[in-house]
Amino acid sequence: MDLKMKWALPVWEKGKEQEMNWFIRLRTEVKLPKSLLRIACCNLYRVFVNGKFICQGPARAGHHCYRVDEVELPEGGNLEIQVGAYNVNAFEYLDEPGFIQCEIEHEGNMLAATGISGFTGYSMKEKKQKVQRYSFQRMF
């Protein structure tokens, strides 16, 4: 199975690619049930549909390697993806610039793709960015 992206481009909030502990939120409306979400990022994502938690990821990979997850969205509605980039040296995640690349497909047609159309992005201002780190094993 080929898990490469068909349409999406990697994106991040301009000027924040190297910021420590920075989170963004992507939103779109999925009008069709059983749509397929393909997603890759550095470091962490969480997917919600209509406020209901669907999944999180990605699985860990080596430096400069990013896994593309395929997630079948069970229903249509408001899709929200929360993405975090930590940009700090630790055991838990890679210290690499933040990005998100995702697309939604239904029966071979693109519904939304980062860098193309369909998603609206926001900074997650409700998360406190400057917090103390307790150990090298974990992030903030």
Side-chain angles (χ1 to χ4, degrees):
M1 179 185 292
D2 184 14
L3 293 178
K4 294 181 182 175
M5 299 281 180
K6 295 180 182 178
W7 304 284
L9 302 171
V11 297
W12 196 251
E13 187 173 342
K14 187 173 179 159
K16 301 292 186 178
E17 299 87 354
Q18 301 281 343
E19 285 275 330
M20 286 193 288
N21 202 28
W22 194 255
F23 283 75
I24 64 170
R25 171 183 290 124
L26 296 178
R27 289 186 173 154
T28 191
E29 186 175 345
V30 181
K31 297 180 178 161
L32 301 167
K34 304 238 181 208
S35 298
L36 182 66
L37 170 68
R38 284 188 198 90
I39 185 167
C41 77
C42 183
N43 291 122
L44 157 79
Y45 71 80
R46 292 182 202 105
V47 177
F48 300 85
V49 175
N50 296 326
K52 179 182 163 193
F53 176 78
I54 302 297
C55 68
Q56 69 180 24
R60 290 195 176 101
H63 287 276
H64 312 298
C65 296
Y66 304 97
R67 297 180 189 269
V68 177
D69 295 337
E70 285 191 340
V71 179
E72 188 173 293
L73 301 174
E75 57 192 62
N78 295 315
L79 174 74
E80 179 177 302
I81 303 170
Q82 298 174 357
V83 189
Y86 293 107
N87 288 308
V88 69
N89 194 16
F91 291 134
E92 190 174 9
Y93 290 108
L94 298 175
D95 183 7
E96 295 186 2
F99 81 91
I100 175 72
Q101 184 173 355
C102 64
E103 60 190 25
I104 302 171
E105 178 182 335
H106 182 75
E107 297 179 354
N109 298 313
M110 180 192 78
L111 302 180
T114 54
I116 306 295
S117 70
F119 284 102
T120 306
Y122 308 90
S123 298
M124 290 183 66
K125 301 286 187 185
E126 68 273 17
K127 293 185 77 64
K128 191 168 185 161
Q129 181 185 12
K130 304 219 185 256
V131 295
Q132 183 176 0
R133 274 185 75 196
Y134 291 104
S135 73
F136 190 78
Q137 278 97 358
R138 290 182 237 132
M139 308 323 288
F140 297 95

